[in-house]
Amino acid sequence: MEPKTIFEKSVKGRIGYSLPECEIDKNLEDFFPTEILRKVKPNLPEVSELDAMRHYIEISAKNHFIEKGFYPLGSCTMKYNPKINDIVNTLLGLTNLHPYQPEDTIQGALQIMYELQNDLSEISGMAEVSLQPVAGAHSEFAGANIIYNYHKNKGNQKTKIIMPDSAHGTNPATSALHGYEVVEIKSNEQGKVDIDALKQVIAKDIAGFMLTNPNTLGVFETEVKEIAEIIHSVDGLMYMDGANLNAMLGYIRPGDIGVDIVHFNLHKTFSTPHGGGGPGGGGIGVIKKLVRFLPFPIIKKENDKYYFDYNIKNSIGKVHSFYGNFLVMVRAYIYLKMLGEKGLQRVAENAIINTNYLMKKLENYFPVPYQKDVMHEFVASGEKFKKYDVKTLDIAKRLLDYGFHAPTIYFPLIVHEALMIEPTETESKETLDSFIEAMIKISEEAESNPEKLKNAPENTPVGRLDETAAIKNLDVKFSFDDEITETANKR
Ligand SMILES: *Cc1c(COP(=O)(O)O)cnc(C)c1O
């Protein structure tokens, strides 16, 4: 049956709410200029509460989400986000705050931000954290700006940032957007930064190094201290993309191994449901000599009072409206406080154990070229199935039929036909085993029945789409026919 929009389900007069009589006997015209008032009533659907609920549940069930099934989308850390976060997040004392409220009426909110700043500083070994940025990439851009201002302040002439070919795509993107020339160096045979290659490009005009650690192969960069020494020898700054911090929580502090700036993906490591573009959180931490460049405001405490500190000498300024995404901070705060020190360590341990278990069980079916020091994710290759005319894309699509979200594919580029698999710490052995079973079945199907894979998925609401056409020719229904749409159309 063709699915219906909620507008098509609408029945005139079937109303799912009852509101009290309006107590004001004035017309809207008494409050607002007539030219901004609408002339036609909005075309809103009229359905019962139950029908509205069913409509949205029906739509959501067509999607894939972590509460529905395994979601091993490499790089994205699709862990289960504890519901206690959302319970706290609906408290009116948090949701009804206004950004312009006087500080003495929001002491609790400021305390949450203050303690989160301190906890993240402690976890990362940084001197201070700003919670302003709202995404990983946003922090990287702010980080590039801090690097720029640090050098400008010292009168340094710097134009380049170095990074390995295993860097996350946002690293070169944000550096280049800031105006830096990106110098890419090759990884060595272990998938780590090649120190000799680094020594060849090191020069006076190097502003810094951006290191994703663990890198996009899931491999832990063991030589960070040496890399940092080389970078520091030309007064460069060491930036660590900490989006994969999940793998080191409670064990390794970037600040202890020579990192000068690090960002956190609050929505990955510290649990906020993500995908679809936000909202996220991307706190950024720096060592002592860079604190004066951090985006403001930072929360400070004096005489038992919390306050916004805008008095940061060389601050790069605000990078977001108001204070960042506050409720994402609340989730991270609850997550941290619930787990505590030992709990955080177990996050890292289980993420690593789950990953290495999957890798060992699958390596005979899907070769894994870089295995040494694999942490929280690994990258397998589907290249050997090319002889059956089966691509990694076909394998990913077939996984959907087995009820799993596909891994990240064709990234990172250094592995051909890449399948980037990140199980996270929240999955049980039974779930991992059923995923392994499906992957092995698919590897057999690739050989015995490649057509099956090329026609996959079969069991999903829509089958295989032409991905380019799907973006260009949207198959959506609009049911608005009021003046707003008319005005929009005219524009
Ligand atoms: C997700 C991710 C980013 C980007 O973070 P966003 O919040 O999506 O901007 C950067 N680096 C790595 C390693 C990541 O996994």
Side-chain angles (χ1 to χ4, degrees), residues 380-423:
S381 170
E383 200 170 19
K384 72 173 199 190
F385 299 104
K386 273 187 157 172
K387 61 173 177 276
Y388 310 116
D389 199 22
V390 166
K391 299 189 297 271
T392 289
L393 176 71
D394 305 318
I395 296 165
K397 294 293 182 195
R398 185 64 179 146
L399 261 174
L400 308 181
D401 281 335
Y402 289 99
F404 298 109
H405 196 283
T408 296
I409 55 174
Y410 300 111
F411 179 80
L413 303 175
I414 37 185
V415 173
H416 294 296
E417 297 290 312
L419 285 152
M420 187 191 205
I421 301 174
E422 179 179 16

Side-chain angles (χ1 to χ4, degrees), residues 7 38-45 476-491:
F7 293 91
R38 61 189 314 148
K39 282 150 207 81
V40 187
K41 279 196 173 170
N43 171 31
L44 295 177
V476 288
K477 279 189 206 166
F478 290 106
S479 297
F480 301 103
D481 58 1
D482 64 359
E483 61 186 306
I484 293 183
T485 324
E486 265 169 44
T487 340
N489 285 341
K490 268 180 216 148
R491 282 200 201 109

Side-chain angles (χ1 to χ4, degrees), residues 152-258:
K152 189 174 161 202
N153 207 263
K154 288 186 83 174
N156 289 346
Q157 297 294 318
K158 305 279 196 179
T159 52
K160 295 174 183 159
I161 291 187
I162 309 176
M163 59 194 70
D165 56 5
S166 64
H168 190 267
T170 49
N171 298 181
T174 50
S175 302
L177 193 64
H178 200 281
Y180 281 110
E181 187 184 322
V182 175
V183 180
E184 185 185 285
I185 55 171
K186 287 230 170 307
S187 302
N188 62 22
E189 67 284 352
Q190 289 183 1
K192 300 182 185 182
V193 170
D194 186 329
I195 304 284
D196 289 331
L198 172 60
K199 284 180 179 160
Q200 273 169 25
V201 295
I202 195 76
K204 272 206 157 59
D205 58 357
I206 297 300
F209 190 100
M210 262 204 188
L211 183 70
T212 303
N213 197 20
N215 64 33
T216 56
L217 294 164
V219 170
F220 185 71
E221 298 281 359
T222 41
E223 312 308 318
V224 181
K225 272 188 172 164
E226 195 180 346
I227 299 168
E229 267 168 34
I230 296 171
I231 297 301
H232 290 153
S233 74
V234 293
D235 199 17
L237 293 173
M238 191 67 192
Y239 185 101
M240 192 186 108
D241 175 339
N244 295 338
L245 206 68
N246 219 48
M248 336 192 200
L249 285 174
Y251 279 102
I252 298 159
R253 306 196 318 159
D256 296 341
I257 52 175

Side-chain angles (χ1 to χ4, degrees), residues 74-77 134-140 166-171 212-216 241-244 263-268 274 280-282 376-377 411 420 422:
S75 205
C76 298
T77 314
V134 295
H138 194 192
S139 300
E140 290 168 39
S166 64
H168 190 267
T170 49
N171 298 181
T212 303
N213 197 20
N215 64 33
T216 56
D241 175 339
N244 295 338
H263 83 251
F264 313 90
N265 277 50
L266 297 187
H267 48 287
K268 293 179 181 170
H274 57 286
H376 67 297
E377 64 193 353
F411 179 80
M420 187 191 205
E422 179 179 16

